[in-house]
């Protein structure tokens, strides 16, 4: 990393400030008398304030050179004119230039001390009542509270933006809360590494064997492993991991864990032969899902006497003849309260779902279609001719600031007005979302779950689709027959080969599947770029915006980070009329394809028809249509949903010319180019290769090392996920 530039000076003026997240553009009058532009998270800054800024110089396309603040020291103004500028800027509610002048003229350099410690003296100034004095003092103390919180964090080299997050969560008590329990910094809302938080806590005098430290470490391990897909951890593994984290004896961790169980923050329960330890919310989600699913399974929905005749009518109307397994699935939908339909590519899932929809329509049922992602919902709409929504939107998702968690409008108190719900791409649905969906179903609602059980599991905790199938409690129809038309597709043949552990055929390039052998990462990348820029658009008539590059990994020469830089340069090169903006080391340009990398429940979007909603989710892909000339915001189109992104939100997005296979789950593309080079062992797995192959609709080109592809096909090792749903379902039916 380059050495940081350090500048000291007085804030001359504030050009832009976002009150929500503290992102600021200001002019700084340096000690040398030069005025420079400084940008970064500098909450509540005002003219007259003294700053010491350490950062990196960058060039803005419209505004020229500016210093991006990475480290910051702040000092309140000291002389009367600086104090007047500071107060009259609006940092203190109710104080404008006229009142600021009267206050400074009366109290001089002691003004700021008077405001905070002796506000009653303000009443001696004409026009300031006792009530007004208290309002001014309250506003100033709030302002100073945030400054002190920032100063506390700066002492430990933590970024200023963290102060805004803490303030949103804990209000004016944020500093007091963090001083009392610095481990709050490692909560989901703040996300500071536990090792950093632990170092801060120890420096503040918290003992190595304190219960507070031990309980925080146990909770951190459970949260950390939730991000790895685990719903619970076995007690012995949780204790061992926490001992390693803290370098402490197991008896101390055992006691801390027992304390958490007693406080009901952790739930411990025997699951099969394992002493399972859950975060309470995950235990509640799992138990609730099991109970509600059992209610649906107990429903007497048998309509099988009419089903055979109805299926025959549907076949005549749609001009098709169902294969035995497809007929079995449609008839089962009439008979069962809950049905699972699973199968690989080319096995007729779409035709079967259309049949189930037609069946439910003939039964007079109100049907709702849903999928976990916007792209999957859009594809479902196209294939069925009915509107499909994301599960989040269907449930009326919103973000609760007070609870710091997702909430849903639809629940048992306000259930969905539907007689039947069909969910596609179920392998992507995690435990929390599945539990929320079940809570929103009225008693007696039919539920059909559709997906490919061999695809990668959900990003969130749980292995819901697989657990439901393996529990033996839910009627499951496996579509195994690959239809003749689909069998002509080399993509589908190779996907099924991979699924049984065979390497795809790489020798006979034919039809819709091609392999280009490149055993060098640099040649792999240049070939991928050439395919996207020239060969596929010119030779195959496939525009670059209908091609998706996939790779198992983010890192390395063939990872998404490097591929995206190369593809951006090739597919969307700089032009004088294209605005661009730097965010850290990343460059964004008008026309770029970008992807949302984490759920943001506050983003407001609008469609062309005037429909308005909120929320962008991890994996949503859009295009930058405009960058504001001042560089403060971007207009992004996400499949017809237009949204404005403040520049400070660029940490939520990344370029999406190339994406990991995991991020492509639930999506289908006209053409896929896969970069297949050796990567981390956990990514060189059959599920990753199978999922990549099944993302392509018309054309798949694999570029890379044939040995790496064979390794992936042979490696059926799946990371075990600790989940109790299968066990609960299997035993609740006994």
């Amino acid at each position: 990393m380059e050495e940081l530039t350090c500048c000291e000076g007085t804030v001359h003026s504030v050009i832009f400030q976002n009150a929500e997240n503290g992102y600021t553009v200001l002019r700084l009058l340096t000690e040398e008398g030069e005025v420079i532009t400084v940008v970064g998270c500098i909450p509540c800054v005002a003219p007259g304030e003294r700053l010491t800024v350490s950062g990196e110089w960058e060039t803005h396309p419209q505004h020229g050179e500016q210093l991006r603040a990475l480290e910051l020291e702040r000092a309140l103004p000291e002389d009367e004119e600086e104090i007047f500028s500071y107060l009259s800027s609006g940092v203190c509610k109710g104080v404008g230039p006229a009142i600021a002048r009267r206050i400074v003229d009366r109290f001089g350099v002691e003004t700021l001390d008077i405001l905070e410690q002796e506000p009653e003296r303000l009443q001696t100034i004409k026009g300031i009542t006792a009530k007004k004095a208290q309002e001014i003092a309250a506003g100033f103390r709030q302002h100073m509270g945030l400054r002190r919180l920032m100063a506390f964090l700066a002492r430990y080299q933590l970024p200023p933006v963290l102060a805004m997050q803490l303030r949103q969560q804990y209000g004016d008590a944020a500093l007091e809360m963090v001083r009392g329990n610095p481990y709050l910094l490692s909560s989901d809302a703040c996300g500071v590494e536990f090792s950093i938080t632990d170092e801060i806590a120890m420096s503040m005098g918290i003992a190595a064997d304190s219960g507070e430290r031990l309980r925080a470490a146990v909770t951190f391990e459970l949260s950390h492993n939730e991000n790895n897909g685990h719903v619970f951890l076995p007690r012995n593994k949780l204790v061992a991991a926490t001992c390693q984290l803290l370098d402490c004896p197991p008896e101390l961790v055992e006691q801390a864990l027992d304390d958490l169980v007693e406080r009901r923050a952790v739930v411990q329960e025997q699951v099969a032969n394992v002493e399972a330890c859950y975060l309470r919310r995950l235990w509640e989600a799992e138990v609730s899902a099991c109970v509600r699913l059992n209610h649906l399974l107990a429903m007497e929905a048998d309509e099988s006497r009419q089903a055979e005749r109805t299926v025959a009518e549907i076949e005549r109307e749609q001009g098709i003849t169902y294969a035995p397994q497809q007929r079995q699935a449609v008839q089962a939908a009439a008979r069962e309260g809950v049905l699972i339909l699973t199968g690989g590519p080319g096995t007729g899932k779409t035709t079967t779902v259309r049949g189930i929809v037609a069946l439910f329509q003939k039964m007079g049922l109100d049907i709702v279609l849903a999928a976990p992602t916007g792209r999957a919902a859009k594809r479902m709409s196209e294939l069925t001719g009915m509107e499909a929504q994301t599960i989040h939107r269907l449930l009326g998702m919103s973000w609760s600031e007070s609870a710091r968690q997702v909430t849903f409008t639809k629940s048992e108190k306000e259930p969905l007005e539907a007689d039947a719900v069909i969910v596609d791409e179920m392998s992507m649905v995690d435990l929390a979302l599945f539990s929320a969906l079940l809570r929103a179903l009225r008693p007696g609602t039919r539920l059909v779950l559709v997906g490919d059980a061999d695809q990668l599991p959900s990003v969130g905790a749980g292995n819901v689709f697989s657990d439901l199938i393996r529990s033996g409690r839910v009627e499951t129809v496996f579509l195994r027959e690959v239809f003749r038309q689909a069998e002509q597709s080399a993509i589908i043949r190779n996907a099924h080969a991979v699924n049984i552990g065979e390497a795809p055929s790489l020798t006979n390039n034919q039809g819709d599947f091609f392999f280009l052998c490149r055993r060098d990462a640099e040649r792999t990348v240049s070939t991928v770029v050439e395919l996207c820029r020239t060969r596929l658009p010119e030779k195959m008539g496939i525009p670059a915006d209908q091609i998706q590059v996939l790779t198992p990994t983010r890192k390395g020469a063939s990872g998404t980070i490097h591929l995206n830089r190369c593809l951006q340069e090739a597919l969307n090169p700089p032009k004088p009329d294209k605005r661009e903006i730097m965010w850290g080391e990343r460059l964004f340009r008008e026309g770029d394809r970008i992807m949302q990398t984490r759920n943001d429940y506050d983003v407001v979007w609008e469609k062309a028809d005037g429909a308005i909603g909120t929320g962008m989710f991890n994996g949503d892909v859009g295009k930058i249509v405009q960058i504001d000339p001042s560089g403060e915001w971007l207009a992004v189109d996400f499949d017809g949903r237009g949204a404005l992104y403040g520049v400070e939100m660029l940490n939520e997005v990344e370029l999406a010319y190339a994406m990991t296979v995991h991020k492509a789950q639930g999506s289908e593309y006209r053409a896929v180019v896969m970069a297949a080079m050796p990567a981390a062992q956990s990514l060189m797995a059959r599920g990753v290769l199978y999922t990549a192959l099944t993302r392509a609709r018309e054309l798949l080109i694999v570029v890379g090392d044939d040995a790496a592809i064979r390794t992936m096909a042979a490696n059926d090792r799946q990371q075990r996920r600790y989940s109790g749903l299968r066990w609960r379902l299997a035993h609740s039916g006994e």
Side-chain angles (χ1 to χ4, degrees), residues 518 520-531 556-559 562-563 566-567 675 677 703:
R518 304 287 187 272
D520 171 79
E522 195 174 313
R523 287 191 64 216
T524 296
V525 172
S526 63
T527 302
V528 167
V529 170
E530 187 61 24
L531 284 165
S558 61
H562 183 237
L563 273 167
C566 298
L567 288 163
M677 294 295 291
V703 183

Side-chain angles (χ1 to χ4, degrees), residues 385-401:
M386 289 180 62
E387 183 194 2
Q389 303 178 62
T390 63
I391 301 172
H392 288 90
R393 187 179 169 202
L394 178 69
L395 299 180
M397 176 278 313
S398 62
W399 175 253
S400 169
E401 277 297 339

Side-chain angles (χ1 to χ4, degrees), residues 163-280:
M164 305 300 290
Q165 294 167 349
L166 288 163
R167 181 66 172 275
Q168 284 176 346
Q169 188 164 11
Y170 302 113
D172 293 342
L175 180 57
E176 186 182 336
M177 295 280 289
V178 173
R179 277 183 171 151
N181 181 12
Y183 293 103
L184 292 173
L185 295 170
S186 287
S187 66
D188 289 344
C190 300
V192 177
E193 281 288 332
F194 184 86
S195 58
I196 296 171
T197 304
D198 196 38
E199 196 175 318
I200 293 170
M202 303 286 267
S203 73
M204 292 170 64
I206 291 179
D209 62 352
S210 75
E212 196 173 67
R213 177 178 187 245
L214 292 157
R215 288 189 296 272
V218 172
T219 306
F220 170 79
E221 280 295 342
L222 286 172
S223 297
H224 175 74
N225 280 281
E226 178 189 356
N227 294 330
N228 291 331
H230 300 298
V231 180
F232 69 80
L233 282 183
R235 181 178 175 113
N236 62 332
K237 290 185 179 293
L238 175 57
V239 169
T242 309
C243 288
Q244 187 175 4
L245 180 69
L246 297 182
D247 190 21
C248 69
E251 55 269 21
L252 291 178
V253 177
E254 297 269 8
Q255 180 58 55
L257 178 52
D258 289 340
D259 287 349
L260 287 167
V261 171
E262 193 175 323
R263 296 176 187 207
R264 305 190 58 181
V266 171
V267 175
Q268 183 172 297
E269 187 177 358
Q270 190 79 19
V271 173
N273 299 317
V274 174
E275 201 65 42
C277 295
Y278 293 81
L279 290 170
R280 172 156 288 276

Side-chain angles (χ1 to χ4, degrees), residues 281-282 284-290 292-293 296 391-398 406-416 421 423 429-442 447 464:
R281 58 182 166 75
L282 289 175
E284 288 175 348
E286 189 174 275
V287 170
S288 171
C290 182
R292 292 174 188 281
L293 201 59
L296 295 178
I391 301 172
H392 288 90
R393 187 179 169 202
L394 178 69
L395 299 180
M397 176 278 313
S398 62
V406 177
T407 60
F408 295 101
T409 305
K410 299 297 181 183
S411 66
E412 58 276 346
K413 294 177 183 175
E414 188 186 332
L416 292 167
V421 174
V423 182
V429 177
D430 62 27
L431 175 65
L433 188 57
F434 185 59
S435 179
L437 174 65
L438 291 177
R439 285 182 60 199
L441 301 184
R442 296 183 301 201
L447 182 61
V464 173

Side-chain angles (χ1 to χ4, degrees), residues 368-615:
V368 167
L369 305 182
T373 67
R375 280 176 171 263
K378 184 179 179 183
R379 193 172 78 250
M380 198 179 186
S381 296
E382 292 167 352
L383 295 174
T384 62
M386 289 180 62
E387 183 194 2
Q389 303 178 62
T390 63
I391 301 172
H392 288 90
R393 187 179 169 202
L394 178 69
L395 299 180
M397 176 278 313
S398 62
W399 175 253
S400 169
E401 277 297 339
S402 56
R404 298 299 298 173
Q405 63 181 15
V406 177
T407 60
F408 295 101
T409 305
K410 299 297 181 183
S411 66
E412 58 276 346
K413 294 177 183 175
E414 188 186 332
L416 292 167
E417 294 188 10
D419 302 315
V421 174
I422 302 175
V423 182
D424 198 10
E425 295 290 352
M426 258 305 294
S427 61
M428 295 183 67
V429 177
D430 62 27
L431 175 65
L433 188 57
F434 185 59
S435 179
L437 174 65
L438 291 177
R439 285 182 60 199
L441 301 184
R442 296 183 301 201
T445 302
R446 294 165 181 270
L447 182 61
V448 179
L449 306 174
V450 184
D452 185 343
D454 294 312
Q455 284 190 27
L456 293 169
S458 59
V459 174
N463 204 359
V464 173
F465 197 44
S466 177
D467 282 353
L468 295 178
I469 293 170
R470 293 186 300 143
S471 73
R473 290 290 316 286
V474 183
E475 178 77 14
T476 302
V477 177
F478 296 88
L479 300 180
R480 292 193 171 95
E481 180 186 348
V482 179
F483 289 93
R484 189 178 305 162
Q485 186 178 355
E487 216 170 21
Q488 294 171 5
S489 163
I491 294 175
I492 290 175
R493 288 200 307 275
N494 280 312
H496 284 280
V498 167
N499 205 26
I500 59 173
E502 296 176 3
S505 174
L506 304 178
T507 52
N508 299 317
N509 289 328
Q510 56 177 311
D512 55 5
F513 183 100
F514 295 86
F515 171 66
L516 302 177
C517 186
R518 304 287 187 272
R519 296 198 173 101
D520 171 79
E522 195 174 313
R523 287 191 64 216
T524 296
V525 172
S526 63
T527 302
V528 167
V529 170
E530 187 61 24
L531 284 165
C532 296
R533 177 176 53 197
T534 310
R535 289 165 67 175
L536 294 187
E538 292 182 3
K539 303 278 179 62
M540 308 285 288
I542 303 175
D545 62 3
Q546 294 180 27
I547 305 166
Q548 183 60 57
V549 175
L550 299 180
T551 177
T553 182
R554 287 178 52 80
K555 300 175 182 177
S558 61
T560 56
I561 296 171
H562 183 237
L563 273 167
N564 270 315
R565 288 187 190 134
C566 298
L567 288 163
Q568 179 191 46
E569 193 64 25
L571 303 179
N572 190 30
K575 288 183 180 178
D577 61 341
K578 277 186 185 175
R579 296 194 186 100
E580 53 188 45
I581 190 167
M582 286 291 297
W583 181 256
E585 296 181 357
R586 292 179 294 165
L587 173 72
F588 295 96
R589 185 177 292 135
E590 288 177 340
D592 274 340
R593 189 190 308 176
I594 63 170
M595 175 173 57
Q596 185 80 17
T597 57
R598 66 182 178 85
N599 293 349
D600 188 328
Y601 306 98
D602 298 324
V603 176
V604 178
W605 51 260
E606 184 174 1
K607 290 186 175 181
D609 62 5
I612 295 175
T614 59

